[in-house]
Amino acid sequence: MPELHQLTATQLIDGYRAHRFSPTEVACALVEHIDVWEPHINALYAYQPDAFIKAAEASTQRWAKGQPSGALDGVPVTLKELIATKGMPVPVGTGLGEQPVASEDAPPAARLAEDNALLLAKTTCPDFGMLSSGLSSFHGLTRNPWDLACNTGGSSAGAGAAAAAGFGPLHVGTDIGGSVRLPAAWCGVVGFKPTLGRVPIDPYYVGRCAGPMTRSVTDAALMMTALARTDRRDAMRLPPETIDWMDLELDVKGLRVGVMMEAGCGLPLDDEIRHHVELVAQQLEAAGATLVPMAPVLNREMLDGLDHFWQARQWGELLKLSANEREQVLPAILAWADGGAHLSGVDAVHGFQQTMAMRRATEAVFDEVDAVISPTTPNIAFPAEWPSPTNDPRQPFEHIAYTVPWNMGEQPAISLNAGVSRSAISANMPIGVQLVGPRFADHFVLKLARQLEERLALPIRWPTLPVVK
């Protein structure tokens, strides 16, 4: 029998319904578990265990009366720090500038509260959410539970670490270039980026999504029953649609699946990742899918153009701070964003136009295939203290070539754990595989991911803290 903190959300709900344990028992066990792990990984922000247990006690009363309220009543959940919750500031990884207290919950927080999920804490992110790293000038350093010397990736760094360490079953991250899928891959969990607008978010922006980070595809689908409900505050939201998210059956036979092994630019692909993705693709083929070799959708001009546009955008944000405040931002962010001060308006517009080029390239793929499989990351692991896998502020996006095109194209994409590494340098670190579907086909992507999850049948693993000698 797994320990309470290891249970999935669906297992928790089944246990509550059968009165095998209560939300209060789960909350107390989780607090004890966090007390052991959190000093080592630093995944949480605004952690309030007393309020968490009090909410669990109210949920326990509802379940005792046979009157649970909402599909997630009593299930622990975390929210990325960037997602506003009423009564808390949003420090954006820096704690700088004006820090007004949020007057209301942002859409993902509101949906989970409506379903009576138990908010355990917020989770850490790097400065401005602009690094794929657990490094933050405000939160400090978030470490990977599988190896404390390794990075979580980001920017949903705390969410990835919390999911991997068993800080409850449900976590919400945000993703504008891979920020849900990258830490999911490096931390060995599920990370789902839905079609743009499927999960309403505020503030909204080109490519910016919120999505589940969980330890199973079924739990990600369960979260979508709440997160996908409409909210008018997101002017880019999709129209409401009735979807039975928990129906995850799919016949893979006859599907055409594009296999995209090369990213087109960025860091070279690690041989072990290539091997694992090939094995996963073979599982789809064994189930009856046809594999179609696929050329990259990204090129150097697209990635560099987006880099320039984001530099200009970030420089504009830094100008809102005082000179003294800017000096407190992570040096890697300052060194990168400084390039935005020297770009012309024409350069910035040309950079933005590359988002449209990516949109054309990604959407055209689905004239030929039903889904795409690729690596999630090009590399297996990197040091916890680095701001990115290159450790070069002038090349901060060389690792997002597999993920960012689908943000700009708005397609749903999910990262699954494909196994662990065996190399001497990064032994037993997770390896991620990415599945992508056409725009609006979120349910199909989850179904395909669930079929893969079942066929892979990877053994359940939990990280262990190193023994202090």
Side-chain angles (χ1 to χ4, degrees):
M1 177 69 180
E3 296 184 50
L4 290 178
H5 72 268
Q6 296 175 334
L7 296 178
T8 66
T10 48
Q11 288 172 328
L12 288 178
I13 292 168
D14 288 344
Y16 297 158
R17 187 176 292 116
H19 302 290
R20 289 194 297 271
F21 45 78
S22 70
T24 300
E25 291 172 295
V26 169
C28 290
L30 194 51
V31 167
E32 289 183 9
H33 177 68
I34 289 169
D35 285 346
V36 173
W37 271 91
E38 178 61 5
H40 299 277
I41 64 173
N42 185 39
L44 303 182
Y45 163 68
Y47 174 45
Q48 298 175 321
D50 290 343
F52 172 61
I53 291 174
K54 184 176 180 180
E57 290 170 347
S59 177
T60 296
Q61 292 295 321
R62 291 191 292 272
W63 279 103
K65 296 175 183 177
Q67 299 174 344
S69 177
L72 300 175
D73 198 344
V75 179
V77 65
T78 72
L79 291 161
K80 187 175 180 179
E81 178 249 275
L82 296 178
I83 299 171
T85 49
K86 185 176 180 179
M88 291 184 183
V90 183
V92 197
T94 69
L96 300 172
E98 293 185 15
Q99 293 287 305
V101 170
S103 60
E104 59 182 358
D105 286 340
R111 300 295 83 78
L112 294 172
E114 289 168 0
D115 274 5
N116 275 305
L118 304 180
L119 181 59
L120 169 68
K122 310 293 284 291
T123 51
T124 61
C125 72
D127 294 29
F128 305 102
M130 285 306 299
L131 293 176
S132 190
S133 172
L135 189 61
S136 163
S137 62
F138 178 74
H139 299 294
L141 179 59
T142 299
R143 295 180 179 274
N144 194 315
W146 293 106
D147 185 336
L148 300 181
C150 290
N151 210 298
T152 56
S155 62
S156 302
F167 287 13
L170 304 182
H171 309 269
V172 183
T174 62
D175 188 320
I176 199 170
S179 290
V180 159
R181 290 156 290 156
L182 294 168
W186 282 313
C187 293
V189 299
V190 174
F192 180 49
K193 179 203 80 69
T195 299
L196 186 77
R198 178 71 71 195
V199 173
I201 192 169
D202 182 30
Y204 49 87
Y205 198 75
V206 176
R208 184 172 189 248
C209 301
M213 298 179 72
T214 63
R215 292 190 65 95
S216 74
V217 175
T218 301
D219 273 4
L222 179 62
M223 287 196 84
M224 289 298 291
T225 64
L227 295 176
R229 293 199 294 269
T230 194
D231 193 303
R232 192 168 292 278
R233 289 174 289 174
D234 184 348
M236 301 172 77
R237 72 196 182 284
L238 297 182
E241 185 176 353
T242 300
I243 298 173
D244 182 2
W245 291 103
M246 298 306 291
D247 174 10
L248 296 174
E249 295 299 317
L250 178 70
D251 186 355
V252 176
K253 188 175 181 179
L255 292 179
R256 290 174 59 81
V257 179
V259 182
M260 192 184 80
M261 282 297 184
E262 303 303 328
C265 55
L267 291 173
L269 180 62
D270 182 278
D271 287 340
E272 268 201 287
I273 297 178
R274 182 186 300 274
H275 174 67
H276 277 77
V277 175
E278 287 173 347
L279 291 178
V280 174
Q282 289 167 14
Q283 289 288 341
L284 290 174
E285 188 174 40
T290 298
L291 302 183
V292 181
M294 199 179 100
V297 293
L298 194 70
N299 60 38
R300 189 80 252 173
E301 183 181 11
M302 292 175 184
L303 187 59
D304 287 349
L306 185 63
D307 184 1
H308 291 160
F309 171 65
W310 280 352
Q311 282 180 34
R313 178 172 173 259
Q314 187 60 58
W315 183 248
E317 292 300 310
L318 290 173
L319 288 178
K320 297 175 183 178
L321 303 176
S322 68
N324 180 60
E325 287 173 328
R326 280 198 295 275
E327 290 177 358
Q328 299 175 55
V329 174
L330 284 176
I333 292 285
L334 295 175
W336 164 71
D338 180 65
H342 308 290
L343 292 170
S344 69
V346 172
D347 291 334
V349 170
H350 175 75
F352 179 77
Q353 287 300 107
Q354 297 310 305
T355 67
M356 297 297 106
M358 287 185 228
R359 191 180 183 112
R360 292 187 194 95
T362 53
E363 193 63 18
V365 162
F366 296 101
D367 285 334
E368 305 296 331
V369 299
D370 301 298
V372 173
I373 186 170
S374 79
T376 307
T377 67
N379 61 306
I380 292 173
F382 63 104
E385 295 80 9
W386 286 12
S388 76
T390 63
N391 198 29
D392 181 353
R394 296 299 181 185
Q395 289 189 309
F397 301 131
E398 298 301 292
H399 59 288
I400 68 173
Y402 289 104
T403 53
V404 72
W406 313 110
N407 288 81
M408 300 304 110
E410 303 185 6
Q411 293 86 5
I414 192 168
S415 181
L416 302 175
N417 181 237
V420 297
S421 64
R422 299 301 180 195
S423 64
I425 297 176
S426 53
N428 296 314
M429 292 303 290
I431 291 173
V433 61
Q434 180 178 233
L435 295 173
V436 188
R439 289 175 71 216
F440 316 124
D442 307 72
H443 195 199
F444 164 71
V445 170
L446 285 170
K447 287 183 175 185
L448 185 59
R450 177 60 184 144
Q451 300 312 304
L452 257 186
E453 188 178 59
E454 287 185 331
R455 292 189 68 88
L456 290 173
L458 295 176
I460 297 174
R461 299 170 63 238
W462 288 95
T464 56
L465 286 173
V467 176
V468 179
K469 298 181 180 179

